[in-house]
Amino acid sequence: MSSFKIIATLFLLSTAMMLGESNAQLSGTFYAKTCPNVSSIVRSVLQNAQQNDIWIFPKLVRLHFHDCFVHGCDASLLLNGTDSEKTATPNLSTGGYSVIDDIKTALEHSCPRVVSCADILALAAQISVSLAGGPTWEVPLGRRDGRAAHREAIRAIPSAHESLNNITAKFKNMGLDSTDLVALSGVHTFGRAQCSSFMDRLYNFKGSGKSDPTLNATYLKALTQLCPKGRDGRSLIDLDESTSLTFDNNYFLNLQNHRGLLQSDQELFSTSGADTVAIVNRFANSQSQFFDSFAKSMVKMGNISPLTGSNGEIRSDCRKIN
């Protein structure tokens, strides 16, 4: 073989190895040897945290969503700084950061510099759903942490005030289809939302000076009492008025009864001709189908542009780069 061919072959092999490293696949057994107790450690911290904050589970799931929709699942949301993502709308209402810190501290004590903050977010979301009565699934792991925030990309996060067309487009941009959209929206089966996120539906829907016609009249009356016109919009209202701390399929029954709290939720069912309507009905009729789809969609979302291999880093403090 000529020296040119040898050099060319070595170059191709080297390139293939580099690509293989940088595009490494996530795996449910990624920490089997380096931190085998990672899941039990995260679960223990979450169980303790729930004693002090009964709403911590939906808060942590929301962090994972908001992180993945901005430049991929790289824990960029957790970074502090003047250009941070967490200080931009809609992240001003996010919470649970101190619990992520507690998880990181516990993991650093057990297996230092091994588990990424991005993987902590993914694990915390899965375990939170499970502890609240929802499905469980194997979380693909092996993400690394980003070295920069991406405040400029914050608009990729769907808003409670957006139309179904806009939200569908945002999900499609992330490689997520209509089933993923409806399944992942089902996370609103637990947790709370600020009055400001739906006040327009009560008093001035789409600038009409009237309420949203898709709102159940009885529900509308109750919401106007909870969120009076002109008052502070930071009051928190249960997303699911009957089982707000439990992960179940009641969210979809609410949509069928026109009792979805957020515009972005109710439009999944009330938009005439939308393919999401049939999916809502299917999940309302079968909690097991919802749970199965939710688990699959969470894995898909967790696979949005992860940093792997030699890309990114393993932060020792989730709030700042090393």
Side-chain angles (χ1 to χ4, degrees):
M1 183 183 292
S2 69
S3 59
F4 173 79
K5 288 184 178 180
I6 292 175
I7 293 173
T9 300
L10 290 173
F11 173 78
L12 289 173
L13 287 171
S14 176
T15 302
M17 291 173 65
M18 290 171 61
L19 288 173
E21 182 179 23
S22 63
N23 293 314
Q25 295 297 307
L26 302 181
S27 166
T29 58
F30 187 82
Y31 297 112
K33 294 182 179 179
T34 55
C35 194
N37 297 324
V38 57
S39 293
S40 60
I41 292 171
V42 174
R43 179 178 290 267
S44 177
V45 174
L46 293 188
Q47 288 173 323
N48 288 332
Q50 202 260 351
Q51 301 302 310
N52 298 316
D53 181 2
I54 61 172
W55 301 103
I56 191 60
F57 297 156
K59 288 179 182 177
L60 295 177
V61 180
R62 190 174 183 222
L63 289 184
H64 185 42
F65 272 72
H66 283 219
D67 178 53
C68 289
F69 266 78
V70 178
H71 221 265
C73 310
D74 63 352
S76 58
L77 171 62
L78 304 179
L79 291 171
N80 286 344
T82 55
D83 62 343
S84 70
E85 295 171 25
K86 66 173 69 171
T87 57
T89 304
N91 289 327
L92 291 173
S93 59
T94 54
Y97 295 101
S98 62
V99 175
I100 297 298
D101 292 338
D102 291 342
I103 295 171
K104 184 61 175 175
T105 298
L107 287 171
E108 286 297 300
H109 178 75
S110 180
C111 32
R113 297 295 182 94
V114 171
V115 182
S116 69
C117 299
D119 277 348
I120 288 174
L121 285 175
L123 282 168
Q126 183 272 310
I127 295 170
S128 291
V129 168
S130 178
L131 289 174
T136 187
W137 62 92
E138 183 178 70
V139 180
L141 300 168
R143 300 169 191 80
R144 291 171 67 85
D145 300 320
R147 295 191 176 97
H150 303 281
R151 190 184 178 99
E152 76 287 348
I154 209 77
R155 291 182 181 178
I157 299 174
S159 161
H161 305 280
E162 288 187 270
S163 68
L164 178 57
N165 283 339
N166 285 352
I167 292 178
T168 299
K170 287 186 174 182
F171 270 72
K172 186 176 181 180
N173 287 340
M174 299 295 165
L176 302 171
D177 60 25
S178 293
T179 299
D180 299 316
L181 166 58
V182 179
L184 293 174
S185 295
V187 76
H188 289 161
T189 192
F190 70 168
R192 299 181 294 177
Q194 292 184 341
C195 288
S196 59
S197 63
F198 59 87
M199 286 278 276
D200 57 325
R201 298 188 70 203
L202 309 184
Y203 304 107
N204 189 29
F205 185 61
K206 296 184 177 180
S208 66
K210 300 178 181 180
S211 61
D212 183 346
T214 66
L215 264 172
N216 174 283
T218 303
Y219 191 43
L220 170 62
K221 183 177 180 180
L223 291 176
T224 56
Q225 293 174 346
L226 293 169
C227 302
K229 190 175 184 179
R231 296 286 183 88
D232 185 357
R234 289 177 292 181
S235 296
L236 292 165
I237 309 300
D238 294 355
L239 284 159
D240 175 0
E241 57 187 326
S242 58
T243 59
S244 57
L245 289 170
T246 304
F247 196 97
D248 53 28
N249 72 330
N250 209 53
Y251 164 85
F252 301 103
L253 300 173
N254 291 338
L255 299 188
Q256 289 180 327
N257 293 317
H258 299 278
R259 299 174 82 94
L261 186 64
L262 306 180
Q263 175 190 342
S264 56
D265 289 330
Q266 191 58 56
E267 287 204 8
L268 296 174
F269 181 76
S270 298
T271 303
S272 179
D275 62 352
T276 55
V277 177
I279 305 170
V280 169
N281 288 333
R282 179 158 57 88
F283 292 161
N285 291 330
S286 173
Q287 180 165 279
S288 63
Q289 287 193 39
F290 164 49
F291 280 11
D292 182 62
S293 291
F294 183 83
K296 291 177 180 176
S297 295
M298 284 293 285
V299 171
K300 283 181 67 175
M301 187 189 74
N303 284 334
I304 298 175
S305 304
L307 297 174
T308 58
S310 59
N311 293 323
E313 63 181 16
I314 306 297
R315 290 183 215 145
S316 57
D317 180 341
C318 289
R319 294 176 182 256
K320 61 184 181 181
I321 61 173
N322 295 334

